[in-house]
Amino acid sequence: MTEDQFIRLLEGFHHRRLSKEELLSFLKAAEDPRFESLIGERLHMELAQMRASSIAEGQRADKVWQNIHTAVFAAPKPAHRIHFLRMAWVRYAAAVIILFAIGAYFWTSGKRQHQDVAVSTDIAPGHEGAILTLADGTQVKLDSMDNGTVAEQKGTKVLLKDGSLAYNASNASAMTFNTMTTPNGRQFSIRLPDGSRAWLNAASSITYPTAFIGKERPVTITGEVYFEIAGDPAKPFKVKVNDKTEIEVLGTSFNVKAYPGDATINTTLLTGAVRLYTSDHVQPLKPGEQTRVKQDGEIQLIRNADIQKIMAWKNGLFNFQDESLEEVMKQLERWYDIKIRYIGDPPKAKFFGEVGRDLTLSQVIETLREVGIQCNIEGHTLIVTH
Amino acid sequence: MSTGQPYNETELLRRIADGDQDAFSEFFRRYFDQLYLIMFKYTNRNIDAEDIVQAVFVKAWEKRQVFNEMEDPMSWFFVTARNEYQDRFRKSRLSRRYQQYLQEVFDQSDISPESILTNKEYANIYHQAISNLPEKQRMAYKLSRENGLTYDEIATEMKVEKSTVKEHIGRAIRSIRAFFLSQTGQTDDFLLFLLFFKLLSPSILYHSSLYI
């Protein structure tokens, strides 16, 4: 596509005058860094031509102002929560858009006699936070700290900035390893010394050198981590999942899910290229593909992975597409830091739909009840009755 | 509120740098409309535009101290706005919901964004046109255009067929257009069909309590 052709599409996009095919080819072409910066330049030009106007006083302005005000003035530790979760926040605020239970099991209305036990102590959703373990074993809790230098080790500075951790290794003299761990109910992101970024879902960890000296960039993870790797062909980035599974990366974005207890280790590639190594296999991945590695090392390749579902956690959502009740509950366990107890067999149901991760537990429970699942909170245990 | 005095943004930003919350509020009010409109034009979805604007102002407050050291703090603001846009658009672009939403909106398009109108009177007429709609049409229309839901999602929300949603929205668009034409005395050619974007911006109602 030439630049002129792209500009025509962009203008059609502004005016909502594109056919379906044109629209899709516009969105596709916008991935091209050349065209992306073209959009950026045009946008910048329009921004620079903005003039202060009369005072905006519409309801939309009021609503957005209210959000900003809450983010910067109301909260004792400002803004960064909104940051990570804002995609979901605004529109899913306090509401579950769609959540259904369907399939193998039907609840009759007669069975829906959930006792209206008042939930006296609601459980808040998880938020940003993590524990950083330094090379000497010192632990730093990153939940409530202000921006600034968190630690300095052998010439490498660790900085906390807007709810994300960053390393400045310009004076690094030696390689030491740090570990960042998110407990249940916390998520966090980190910018590694090479500029690569990693987002940790709840109950996850990443161990990495504070400076990438040497021929490789090795890290080890547990749980679920999404990576955006800075390209460096001379220094492959390697993600070790366990003794048998390793992912070699050239410059790319991908998600790894490897919680203890999961039946498979799932690696999903969004852009670029990675190679997955097991004890006796090598599996290259193309964008949109997912590998599932079973305990016995068998690799299954999924060609059209559901990226939206896989990346939902990073976008502030739970996506329960095609999940069983038990799978749904596992996610709630990690995010709300609760335990699940079943009375009777877990009901067999398939879910679909998305739920904001900013809901409190009682809001989630209300939704579950609406689709006929009987559950109650007792302390930090969610009891599901069948 | 407006003093009629010429305003110096750099001075305003310096006050913000000193932690002046009133200055920050004023800065927001002066730039919201235009910033929102531009972001709408580049995303074609209200919720993206709102989130981007929100993020830009939150960043501006967080970074306020550096304004004092800058020759031209407004240019920092523009760069931040552009970065926020690119971040958001990169994510939205990959989302199937967004693609679906755009297809639906482009297919039943009511507006031509280039004819940006700044007239508050038009905004009021639009506002009125919406409140005149039958409840179901209004709900479907707003869930789509305000909340960015796809037809499938609206169908689920309203417990109706997807085709019914499409019908509601088509009717809503026609009624709004007709009302608009009758109130302004314009011909269809002129309006064809004006940009709601600008109309939406200053004063559209947002009954979050009704629809969330």
Side-chain angles (χ1 to χ4, degrees):
Chain A
M1 191 182 297
T2 67
E3 210 164 274
D4 284 349
Q5 284 168 328
F6 183 76
I7 288 175
R8 263 199 297 280
L9 286 180
L10 176 62
E11 278 167 0
F13 178 77
H14 291 328
H15 303 154
R16 298 189 166 186
R17 279 199 220 107
L18 295 179
S19 68
K20 183 181 167 185
E21 291 70 30
E22 287 170 328
L23 175 63
L24 293 177
S25 76
F26 166 73
L27 292 172
K28 183 92 188 82
E31 277 171 39
D32 187 328
R34 196 160 52 108
F35 295 141
E36 189 178 47
S37 59
L38 195 86
I39 301 179
E41 281 159 29
R42 289 173 73 100
L43 174 72
H44 197 107
M45 228 165 58
E46 293 200 38
L47 290 167
Q49 286 165 358
M50 284 195 314
R51 289 285 166 267
S53 59
S54 55
I55 302 297
E57 45 197 16
Q59 295 186 37
R60 185 187 306 287
D62 290 346
K63 182 183 68 154
V64 175
W65 173 248
Q66 201 50 52
N67 290 339
I68 294 168
H69 194 272
T70 309
V72 301
F73 301 136
K77 42 170 190 163
H80 62 250
R81 258 188 73 175
I82 278 233
H83 247 74
F84 201 77
L85 298 173
R86 69 171 180 255
M87 308 209 26
W89 264 42
V90 180
R91 67 209 106 291
Y92 292 106
V96 173
I97 298 289
I98 30 170
L99 171 64
F100 285 96
I102 54 160
Y105 195 92
F106 293 89
W107 287 269
T108 60
S109 52
K111 290 184 88 173
R112 300 178 57 181
Q113 10 139 301
H114 41 76
Q115 312 89 319
D116 281 318
V117 179
V119 181
S120 52
T121 48
D122 199 356
I123 294 177
H127 55 85
E128 283 189 61
I131 293 160
L132 176 69
T133 308
L134 303 173
D136 63 1
T138 316
Q139 293 205 329
V140 186
K141 197 171 168 207
L142 301 173
D143 287 33
S144 47
M145 292 185 70
D146 291 329
N147 286 353
T149 303
V150 171
E152 191 162 356
Q153 321 157 77
K154 298 200 161 73
T156 300
K157 273 190 180 161
V158 190
L159 304 159
L160 186 65
K161 213 177 140 196
D162 302 336
S164 176
L165 203 64
Y167 281 76
N168 179 346
S170 48
N171 299 315
S173 55
M175 188 154 102
T176 57
F177 282 84
N178 284 181
T179 299
M180 191 166 89
T181 314
T182 49
N184 280 342
R186 296 285 185 280
Q187 56 187 21
F188 215 73
S189 72
I190 180 170
R191 187 182 288 276
L192 296 168
D194 63 338
S196 296
R197 299 190 68 185
W199 283 259
L200 275 69
N201 201 347
S204 303
S205 77
I206 179 169
T207 302
Y208 49 90
T210 54
F212 287 117
I213 301 166
K215 277 183 278 181
E216 292 182 348
R217 293 176 285 167
V219 305
T220 308
I221 64 141
T222 63
E224 181 161 26
V225 183
Y226 167 72
F227 286 98
E228 286 179 5
I229 302 302
D232 185 354
K235 257 191 196 187
F237 194 96
K238 291 197 169 170
V239 181
K240 197 169 173 192
V241 183
N242 59 26
D243 292 343
K244 290 184 231 151
T245 311
E246 189 174 271
I247 303 154
E248 186 184 285
V249 186
L250 301 165
T252 193
S253 58
F254 63 103
N255 191 70
V256 185
K257 183 164 177 277
Y259 281 110
D262 282 358
T264 56
I265 294 168
N266 297 352
T267 307
T268 315
L269 185 66
L270 280 76
T271 59
V274 302
R275 277 194 289 267
L276 179 99
Y277 290 86
T278 62
S279 319
D280 39 26
H281 279 99
V282 183
Q283 176 68 55
L285 264 88
K286 293 201 200 77
E289 289 183 344
Q290 181 185 62
T291 54
R292 296 182 185 171
V293 182
K294 291 191 191 155
Q295 305 280 357
D296 62 7
E298 190 194 321
I299 304 176
Q300 192 189 354
L301 183 69
I302 313 286
R303 296 225 181 261
N304 284 310
D306 186 346
I307 301 290
Q308 199 183 336
K309 170 174 159 61
I310 293 157
M311 294 318 301
W313 70 270
K314 191 178 157 275
N315 297 331
L317 296 170
F318 289 113
N319 185 314
F320 294 141
Q321 191 70 36
D322 280 332
E323 296 204 336
S324 68
L325 180 72
E326 285 148 291
E327 287 167 325
V328 169
M329 290 298 165
K330 258 194 217 166
Q331 294 200 43
L332 298 184
E333 254 182 340
R334 289 194 289 259
W335 190 235
Y336 293 94
D337 195 13
I338 50 168
K339 289 265 168 279
I340 307 288
R341 193 151 64 84
Y342 296 99
I343 296 182
D345 290 335
K348 288 192 186 3
K350 278 279 181 214
F351 282 74
F352 65 92
E354 287 181 332
V355 178
R357 282 162 78 101
D358 56 331
L359 301 183
T360 67
L361 186 59
S362 69
Q363 288 171 318
V364 174
I365 285 173
E366 213 168 282
T367 314
L368 289 170
R369 283 178 180 165
E370 271 168 25
V371 299
I373 291 167
Q374 296 175 49
C375 46
N376 284 305
I377 315 177
E378 273 179 24
H380 277 76
T381 304
L382 180 65
I383 299 170
V384 181
T385 319
H386 182 203
Chain B
M1 239 173 148
S2 173
T3 57
Q5 288 168 355
Y7 216 87
N8 181 337
E9 278 84 23
T10 306
E11 171 53 28
L12 191 58
L13 289 166
R14 299 250 189 276
R15 277 169 58 204
I16 295 171
D18 295 336
D20 183 338
Q21 297 189 7
D22 291 339
F24 183 56
S25 160
E26 183 148 6
F27 180 58
F28 170 82
R29 298 284 171 184
R30 284 181 181 274
Y31 282 94
F32 175 79
D33 276 358
Q34 293 201 48
L35 192 56
Y36 171 81
L37 280 177
I38 293 173
M39 292 310 174
F40 195 114
K41 180 174 167 187
Y42 278 80
T43 58
N44 263 311
R45 190 168 60 166
N46 166 49
I47 53 175
D48 294 84
E50 284 181 1
D51 283 4
I52 293 166
V53 173
Q54 179 178 328
V56 174
F57 280 102
V58 168
K59 277 236 164 88
W61 181 257
E62 287 173 346
K63 296 278 150 72
R64 63 189 179 279
Q65 272 101 352
V66 296
F67 292 161
N68 268 334
E69 297 149 22
M70 291 176 182
E71 187 90 343
D72 177 12
M74 272 315 271
S75 64
W76 175 90
F77 188 73
F78 300 145
V79 171
T80 303
R82 180 172 90 179
N83 290 342
E84 283 300 321
Y85 163 77
Q86 285 185 327
D87 262 17
R88 177 57 180 252
F89 188 59
R90 216 171 278 154
K91 284 175 201 148
S92 290
R93 218 178 47 211
L94 296 171
S95 131
R96 244 178 256 161
R97 281 188 71 211
Y98 182 63
Q99 296 182 0
Q100 182 66 30
Y101 180 77
L102 288 179
Q103 281 172 28
E104 288 165 3
V105 168
F106 280 41
D107 183 43
Q108 285 196 318
S109 188
D110 26 13
I111 36 198
S112 69
E114 77 274 21
S115 50
I116 285 182
L117 298 165
T118 48
N119 193 326
K120 291 236 153 138
E121 195 187 325
Y122 287 161
N124 288 335
I125 297 172
Y126 174 71
H127 186 113
Q128 213 182 324
I130 300 230
S131 58
N132 286 347
L133 292 173
E135 195 192 328
K136 294 241 155 99
Q137 283 180 29
R138 191 172 63 228
M139 185 165 175
Y141 182 83
K142 286 175 67 180
L143 282 173
S144 164
R145 268 49 174 182
E146 266 304 294
N147 295 24
L149 299 195
T150 63
Y151 291 171
D152 276 326
E153 289 166 337
I154 298 169
T156 308
E157 183 87 347
M158 295 179 64
K159 300 190 176 65
V160 295
E161 294 291 316
K162 184 177 168 183
S163 57
T164 314
V165 171
K166 200 173 166 186
E167 221 168 89
H168 282 325
I169 291 175
R171 289 210 176 122
I173 290 169
R174 284 194 293 277
S175 310
I176 294 168
R177 183 196 319 236
F179 185 78
F180 213 98
L181 292 173
S182 73
Q183 292 296 305
T184 57
Q186 296 292 350
T187 67
D188 216 16
D189 286 347
F190 166 73
L191 289 174
L192 194 77
F193 180 39
L194 316 152
L195 170 63
F196 281 175
F197 301 178
K198 185 54 195 176
L199 300 174
L200 277 166
S201 138
S203 58
I204 184 164
L205 58 173
Y206 188 84
H207 288 313
S208 52
S209 56
L210 267 179
Y211 298 120
I212 283 184

